[in-house]
Amino acid sequence: MTARPISSAEPVTGPVAGAVAVPVAGPTDPHATVAELAGQLAGAARAGDPLDAFLYAAGMVQAAEDRLAGTWTAPRRLARHLRDRSGPPTAPPAGPPADPLGSALDGAVRLAVRTPVLHKAVRWTRDLADATDELAALVLDAAPLPSALYRRLFRLVERFDAAPVLRRTLGPAVRRPPSCFCSFDQYPADLAELARRFDAARPLPAGLPLLVVGVRTSGSYLGPLLAAALRRAGHRAVAGCTVRPGQAVLPGRERELARLLAAGGQALVVDDPPVTGRSLAEVAAGLCGRGFPVDAVSVLVAVEQEPPPLGPYRVVALARPDWEVDRLTSPGAVRALVRAAVPGAADWPRMEVGPARSPGRGLHRAVPVTGHPADGPPVPLRVETVGLGHLGRRAAEYAALLPGLVPEVRYLGNGLMIRQDIPAAAPVRALDAARYVAARQRALAVGDDRSVRLVGRGPVWEEAGRLFAPLFGRGAVVLRPLLADPMTRALTRAARPYVVDGRTGAERWAGRDGRWVKTDWAEGAFSHLDLAGYDPAWDLAGLAVAPPHQAGSADEDAGARYGATDEDAGARYGAEVRSGYERLTGERIDPARWCLARLVQVQAQRGVAERPPDRWERRRASARAVQEFLAEVYLRDLPAAPTGADGPGAGWCVLDLDGVLETDPLGFPASSPLGALALRALRAHGFRPLLATGRSLPEVQDRCRAYGLTGGVAEYGAVLHLPGRPPVPLADRDGSEVRAAAGELDGLVADPLARWTARVSRRHPDGRYTGLDRRTADRIAAATGTGVVRGEQQTDFLPPGVGKAAGVRALLAELGDPGAVPVFAAGDGPADRELLRWARLGTAPAHAAPEAKSVARVSSSRYQAGLAEAVATLLGHRPSTCPRCRPPRPSTESRALLALLALPEAGPPGLPARLLRLACRSGELAICGGGRRTG
């Protein structure tokens, strides 16, 4: 099963014209700079390849225009935030756009580009854009590169090389690969079809001016192709430009815009397949704000399903069945390609071609093919789309650098690849997966981590910063770029950068006879979700959040090896992947770096997984990442808690989760440094913490496993958890009746993790989840004979006789200590009242409900700060201030993430002090050079 290496002198090709040789001197970084692209453009021109020359030139224009427009400055982000607060731009403005700050920034850009320093860069970029338009016409016509255009391209490259101001201003700008030709399988022919459909839907005079507006990034490629298709259809006055949402159209070209408007010109907006259509609507509204009538603005897009609603704007759509890729992957076309491209396939008596399928939005489609030679075993192959030109050649290039680790590539051309197909007979072992990541890091090493330059373009570090934005409240638009983003950028910066795989989930491996190969090795290096990164923790975390047992694996040995439950198996598998990589490379992955990579991977699974995780799975997986981070930093050196009543102990302590040990401003429940330190102090001083919560049994199991706890009461006392033992239900019925009743009402959803109770929320159109109104809750409770506990995001329905105090009594009996009274309890809700009254010291944080406060000692602080204050009352000193409970000193990276997680632990009153601490930790991380962790 060893893949045949592809040498630089050996094309990845059969007899099909158009397949190309693949150099293997080193990997191509998909995030190339303008300076690098200039050399590659010259090479494509020298080779007479109009398609690659077009892709290189369009990428240079995109990167240069982004640099000149200053798209991702903090003031522009603030302007967009202020504009977003007024709602999405689904309707055209009646007059000039009500965005004074954005208009002022656009004015500053217009003034800046007239300065001598930038004027030269602007002129060069426009000349390059004109040449890109000519290349687009050649691509549509499949015409050779004429000598005049060849010389023009070389003059542009020579101008760039000879001008220090161009090299200094534009050279370092980074191209973002286009989703349209990297992920969505679009072809130039699709733009020709969109132009034809536009003409059919709206016949216009040939001389009427048209302005094609491409929404960057994909619009930098699609716009010139659409403009060329319109010119080929007979339109004589077609101009083009690109724009980011929120930017002015044609800045510095006001006279051209005025002439176009005076002549009654039309504007055509083009982008890659949309989801919500927000960017398209925003650009269309901006055009109306610049003077275009609503009926003069059209949106032309390919769509995978139905086009999104775009208000009053005319939409010309190309549905998925009409895409060019559907013709190229039809059974007849695939059969002809394989017979022509694979040696010997022309003589096969029979060939089976399976249906084309795509795992999800923006994921390449694949067609299984099985050839049946007359005198040999069947030949399993797979025809896959990989992207156009050099954007797709990366697949064969990387395969040549990873022999034996990926399937053999038989052919690559016209955006299609034929490769060996290997059935997935067994899940990949943790050490083998780690070995692949380590080998890839060596083989696909690049010079620097360019994700740090991709500000505003969704790299891994920026998505991590976005996850923490809710912690800053209304100040997030300012505080996140100042405090969170620099920290996450430093934490995720690679010490030894390489072209990451990006999609390492268990469903993307195949193996047999004890050997595995990676079946999807090139797509994830760039995704329509962006998520650029160069850090091996990103690839390793992909395995941790989607381990084999969660991918539908039938391997019984793996389950037996990694534990009795899926959760145990997943946690141990992720730990083995990480430790295996560390042993193989000598590179330590800091707990903070590991936590961030896992958090972002959980969100990324929505776009790249075979079965995207639902809201509850994402919340639980994210919560586990933070739990294990806090446990590794603060609890790893403590001895294991005893599993029964025997052994030393100062007494039982019972903790509530929501609002006490955890809060959920991040969109998932998480503790904080003070919460973890309070837990550590209790364990270090011999106390034995237990959990008593309304949360589901699986969530209690997660926390007991991560924090080393003896057991817990789940679902308000309806079921008990004791590690290593089956669950102990106490309720005489489950919550199925309530879930069925809720399922009959529109907008209500039930938490699938809760079994013995029912946790029901109302999902609003804007994506918010809230508890039920009193009338609906009472009606369901009356119909099902259940009790009600109301919360902000959910309403819980409990079987009769269920309660936390009763659950704790039963748990203590199961632990061999019947009749024991907890020495300490902390809770904040009405459901905790009986438990707080029963404990010797019942405590409640300052934000607790009146019912809890009436029977408890009330702390002066909220949330985890309140818990820490209560534990200090029990111990006689603050947690972590004595030698016995003082934790090991965390690393610089971990201290930074701890400061970020600490923001909500005391509520709004404690925020200023914690922001100051966060600023100090961020500065400390910058001084210490986060991300340099080798040896």
Side-chain angles (χ1 to χ4, degrees):
M1 200 174 66
T2 301
R4 177 176 58 87
I6 305 164
S7 72
S8 58
E10 178 187 12
V12 189
T13 173
V16 176
V20 295
V22 179
V24 293
T28 297
D29 190 337
H31 299 95
T33 65
V34 170
E36 292 168 339
L37 291 170
Q40 292 163 342
L41 173 60
R46 193 177 294 111
D49 187 343
L51 175 59
D52 264 353
F54 167 74
L55 294 173
Y56 288 130
M60 294 168 70
V61 172
Q62 172 257 305
E65 289 186 337
D66 272 346
R67 173 61 64 91
L68 293 171
T71 303
W72 304 115
T73 60
R76 192 176 291 280
R77 183 180 294 176
L78 176 60
R80 184 164 189 175
H81 170 75
L82 295 174
R83 184 173 58 251
D84 288 350
R85 293 185 65 183
S86 62
T90 56
D99 183 9
L101 182 54
S103 299
L105 289 170
D106 291 329
V109 169
R110 288 193 293 272
L111 291 174
V113 298
R114 292 191 179 100
T115 62
V117 173
L118 291 184
H119 183 66
K120 193 170 188 177
V122 171
R123 288 297 303 271
W124 181 84
T125 302
R126 290 183 185 173
D127 290 343
L128 179 61
D130 291 340
T132 304
D133 288 343
E134 294 188 37
L135 288 167
L138 297 178
V139 170
L140 283 178
D141 295 333
L145 188 68
S147 58
L149 183 55
Y150 170 85
R151 290 191 297 271
R152 185 177 173 189
L153 292 173
F154 265 91
R155 285 196 298 269
L156 284 166
V157 173
E158 289 172 351
R159 281 171 57 190
F160 177 84
D161 290 337
V165 66
L166 294 180
R167 296 199 308 272
R168 185 173 59 253
T169 305
L170 302 180
V174 177
R175 172 193 68 176
R176 172 181 163 186
S179 296
C180 57
F181 295 143
C182 279
S183 300
F184 285 110
D185 293 334
Q186 291 185 267
Y187 279 78
D190 297 331
L191 281 303
E193 177 61 19
L194 277 172
R196 188 195 67 77
R197 294 188 179 198
F198 173 77
D199 279 339
R202 188 171 177 79
L204 297 172
L208 186 72
L210 301 180
L211 176 65
V212 175
V213 181
V215 183
R216 291 201 298 271
T217 297
S218 288
S220 298
Y221 300 76
L222 300 175
L225 290 168
L226 179 59
L230 291 167
R231 295 187 191 102
R232 190 173 65 171
H235 294 277
R236 296 193 299 271
V238 183
C241 69
T242 69
V243 67
R244 292 277 181 196
Q247 287 184 349
V249 177
L250 297 176
R253 300 163 65 182
E254 286 74 17
R255 292 182 181 178
E256 180 181 348
L257 178 62
R259 287 195 299 269
L260 193 149
L261 291 171
Q266 299 272 318
L268 287 68
V269 183
V270 62
D271 196 7
D272 54 26
V275 179
T276 65
R278 179 184 177 89
S279 295
L280 290 164
E282 190 169 347
V283 170
L287 287 165
C288 291
R290 297 281 280 178
F292 283 93
V294 173
D295 61 358
V297 178
S298 302
V299 175
L300 281 66
V301 286
V303 293
E304 293 197 300
Q305 297 178 354
E306 293 294 322
L310 292 173
Y313 309 111
R314 180 183 298 104
V315 177
V316 178
L318 182 67
R320 184 65 195 249
D322 298 326
W323 292 17
E324 175 73 1
V325 69
D326 277 58
R327 183 186 68 80
L328 294 174
T329 55
S330 64
V334 167
R335 188 174 287 107
L337 175 65
V338 172
R339 290 197 183 280
V342 177
D347 299 325
W348 292 345
R350 185 163 61 92
M351 184 189 306
E352 299 174 9
V353 179
R357 65 181 294 270
S358 176
R361 180 179 187 273
L363 299 180
H364 289 306
R365 59 175 45 198
V367 183
V369 177
T370 303
H372 294 273
D375 55 354
V379 179
L381 301 172
R382 186 169 291 261
V383 177
E384 294 180 341
T385 55
V386 293
L388 284 187
H390 72 272
L391 300 172
R393 280 201 304 277
R394 289 179 299 146
E397 177 189 330
Y398 298 165
L401 294 166
L402 298 168
L405 297 173
V406 301
E408 177 187 356
V409 176
R410 302 288 186 87
Y411 164 88
L412 191 145
N414 195 29
L416 298 174
M417 176 178 68
I418 303 176
R419 67 164 176 87
Q420 176 189 24
D421 195 17
I422 301 169
V428 62
R429 292 192 299 246
L431 184 59
D432 290 282
R435 187 174 288 115
Y436 166 79
V437 175
R440 186 180 179 108
Q441 186 187 40
R442 290 192 302 270
L444 272 62
V446 294
D448 63 330
D449 185 339
R450 288 178 179 166
S451 68
V452 299
R453 303 191 212 171
L454 298 174
V455 181
R457 304 187 198 178
V460 171
W461 64 263
E462 196 168 57
E463 289 304 304
R466 187 172 287 121
L467 284 174
F468 291 102
L471 300 182
F472 299 100
R474 294 182 179 179
V477 69
V478 174
L479 294 176
R480 186 196 122 201
L482 289 177
L483 297 176
D485 285 357
M487 180 180 297
T488 56
R489 184 164 53 236
L491 288 174
T492 59
R493 185 170 186 172
R496 295 183 292 201
Y498 73 110
V499 180
V500 298
D501 183 293
R503 296 177 184 171
T504 50
E507 74 276 8
R508 299 179 186 276
W509 298 78
R512 64 185 178 203
D513 303 327
R515 299 189 65 183
W516 287 264
V517 295
K518 185 64 174 53
T519 59
D520 175 9
W521 65 91
E523 291 184 33
F526 172 79
S527 163
H528 62 287
L529 301 172
D530 299 328
L531 297 174
Y534 292 78
D535 186 5
W538 176 244
D539 279 343
L540 298 168
L543 287 151
V545 302
H549 74 286
Q550 292 181 352
S553 168
D555 182 28
E556 297 179 0
D557 292 338
R561 177 185 179 194
Y562 292 122
T565 68
D566 281 352
E567 291 77 11
D568 289 332
R572 295 180 186 179
Y573 186 88
E576 286 196 20
V577 166
R578 177 185 171 192
S579 62
Y581 172 84
E582 291 179 333
R583 289 196 305 272
L584 289 168
T585 64
E587 179 181 1
R588 177 176 178 268
I589 298 179
D590 187 85
R593 178 184 172 198
W594 182 239
C595 179
L596 284 182
R598 291 174 64 187
L599 288 174
V600 182
Q601 275 284 10
V602 169
Q603 302 303 314
Q605 294 302 312
R606 289 181 292 179
V608 300
E610 295 277 355
R611 181 186 62 83
D614 60 26
R615 172 180 181 257
W616 290 273
E617 289 177 302
R618 293 196 306 273
R619 282 169 57 88
R620 186 181 175 198
S622 298
R624 280 202 299 262
V626 176
Q627 291 159 21
E628 291 172 20
F629 166 68
L630 292 172
E632 184 173 357
V633 172
Y634 284 137
L635 305 176
R636 69 181 185 277
D637 62 316
L638 296 178
T643 57
D646 298 334
W652 301 101
C653 299
V654 185
L655 306 179
D656 185 20
L657 285 179
D658 293 318
V660 177
L661 186 60
E662 299 179 343
T663 53
D664 64 349
L666 292 171
F668 58 86
S671 191
S672 73
L674 276 181
L677 287 172
L679 196 59
R680 175 187 175 83
L682 291 174
R683 285 190 54 192
H685 284 277
F687 293 95
R688 302 173 67 182
L690 302 171
L691 300 179
T693 176
R695 290 201 167 272
S696 66
L697 174 66
E699 292 171 288
V700 170
Q701 291 171 331
D702 290 341
R703 287 148 181 83
C704 288
R705 182 186 312 108
Y707 298 146
L709 305 184
T710 306
V713 173
E715 303 188 32
Y716 296 98
V719 60
L720 309 180
H721 167 62
L722 297 96
R725 294 171 54 181
V728 181
L730 300 182
D732 58 1
R733 54 175 165 154
D734 62 21
S736 57
E737 188 177 359
V738 174
R739 287 190 288 273
E744 297 175 357
L745 301 176
D746 290 340
L748 300 192
V749 292
D751 183 346
L753 296 177
R755 176 180 173 185
W756 285 271
T757 61
R759 173 160 284 193
V760 182
S761 302
R762 182 175 297 279
R763 188 182 190 278
H764 297 270
D766 60 1
R768 290 181 302 113
Y769 287 79
T770 64
L772 310 188
D773 61 271
R774 185 174 296 274
R775 180 178 179 182
T776 301
D778 290 346
R779 186 172 62 183
I780 293 176
T784 57
T786 53
V788 176
V789 177
R790 293 177 172 83
E792 291 183 3
Q793 298 184 16
Q794 76 285 322
T795 300
D796 296 322
F797 295 87
L798 284 58
V802 165
K804 288 186 179 182
V808 172
R809 288 188 175 93
L811 179 61
L812 293 175
E814 291 286 338
L815 291 169
D817 200 5
V821 176
V823 298
F824 176 86
D828 70 336
D832 300 306
R833 177 184 172 89
E834 185 180 351
L835 177 62
L836 297 177
R837 178 187 292 157
W838 172 40
R840 294 176 186 170
L841 175 61
T843 66
H847 70 278
E851 294 89 339
K853 289 182 176 180
S854 66
V855 296
R857 180 189 178 104
V858 181
S859 301
S860 61
S861 301
R862 306 181 180 198
Y863 307 118
Q864 290 86 41
L867 173 63
E869 183 181 324
V871 170
T873 301
L874 176 68
L875 301 179
H877 64 272
R878 288 183 290 113
S880 80
T881 58
C882 81
R884 190 170 181 180
C885 63
R886 184 177 297 120
R889 181 174 174 80
S891 66
T892 302
E893 292 94 334
S894 291
R895 288 199 298 273
L897 183 55
L898 289 169
L900 196 54
L901 291 171
L903 290 179
E905 66 185 4
L911 187 58
R914 283 160 177 76
L915 285 172
L916 179 60
R917 184 188 308 162
L918 177 61
C920 295
R921 296 303 185 206
S922 183
E924 178 185 33
L925 184 63
I927 293 171
C928 294
R932 301 299 170 187
R933 329 166 186 82
T934 57

